[in-house]
Amino acid sequence: MKETVQLDEIDRRLLRALQHDASQSHAALAEQVGASPASCWRRIKALETAGVLQGSVRLVDAEKVGRGVNVMCQLRMKSHATAVRQEFEAFLRSRPEIMECHSMSGEWDYLMRVVVADVAGYERFLMGALLNHPNVANAASHFALSQVKYSTAMPV
């Protein structure tokens, strides 16, 4: 189990502010969280070093770039051998349409979120790539009708 980093209230406010808008200056962040700009800078560097903060990204509107269809796909493997899983997980990481993938307990081995332009695009991915993989036994797909909630912000 990974070690939990101890955070004080200023760290928590800083993390919430950065998750809301990471493009803010240190001065703006400092004012927002109640600390000096130098303190904010030191805290951000410490949080990066501790691995709490990882990378900076800009979020893209999926519909505006032609990836408005979200599919939740459950997948079952033919084998659970370590080498088979490692090779398959490398395959999953290579597929840009797979936004998230989780190894699961229970009936299904993996749960992934796939984004595509349309149903035909998902069919091409499912039939041409996923189900053609030699280690895949079967899959079940669930199309999202609407997005009720989406967040990238970790509650801190």
Side-chain angles (χ1 to χ4, degrees):
M1 190 167 148
K2 292 184 180 179
E3 185 176 322
T4 302
V5 175
Q6 296 300 312
L7 305 171
D8 65 16
E9 187 52 36
I10 291 176
D11 289 332
R12 291 179 191 284
R13 285 193 296 245
L14 187 56
L15 289 173
R16 286 191 292 267
L18 286 168
Q19 288 183 99
H20 178 71
D21 182 1
S23 68
Q24 297 178 76
S25 69
H26 288 131
L29 285 168
E31 186 174 320
Q32 193 173 348
V33 304
S36 72
S39 172
C40 275
W41 182 85
R42 282 191 302 275
R43 285 173 179 269
I44 289 169
K45 291 299 172 198
L47 291 166
E48 288 172 347
T49 300
V52 174
L53 289 173
Q54 302 174 356
S56 295
V57 300
R58 295 297 304 250
L59 301 177
V60 174
D61 184 310
E63 287 189 22
K64 291 184 178 171
V65 296
R67 297 282 186 235
V69 176
N70 268 286
V71 185
M72 305 305 161
C73 178
Q74 297 168 298
L75 187 129
R76 192 172 295 118
M77 300 289 291
K78 290 179 181 175
S79 168
H80 294 98
T82 301
V84 169
R85 282 194 336 266
Q86 289 173 341
E87 185 274 328
F88 182 68
E89 289 175 6
F91 163 77
L92 294 174
R93 284 189 291 275
S94 77
R95 300 302 305 207
E97 59 272 270
I98 300 174
M99 299 299 294
E100 299 176 56
C101 183
H102 303 271
S103 176
M104 304 296 290
S105 65
E107 184 179 344
W108 296 95
D109 297 314
Y110 292 95
L111 174 64
M112 62 189 85
R113 181 170 70 93
V114 179
V115 295
V116 291
D118 52 27
V119 174
Y122 184 70
E123 181 183 23
R124 282 189 301 277
F125 165 73
L126 180 67
M127 304 305 252
L130 198 58
L131 292 178
N132 273 338
H133 193 283
N135 297 314
V136 172
N138 56 26
S141 303
H142 308 275
F143 286 78
L145 300 177
S146 66
Q147 189 172 70
V148 176
K149 180 181 178 181
Y150 173 75
S151 178
T152 62
M154 190 61 56
V156 291

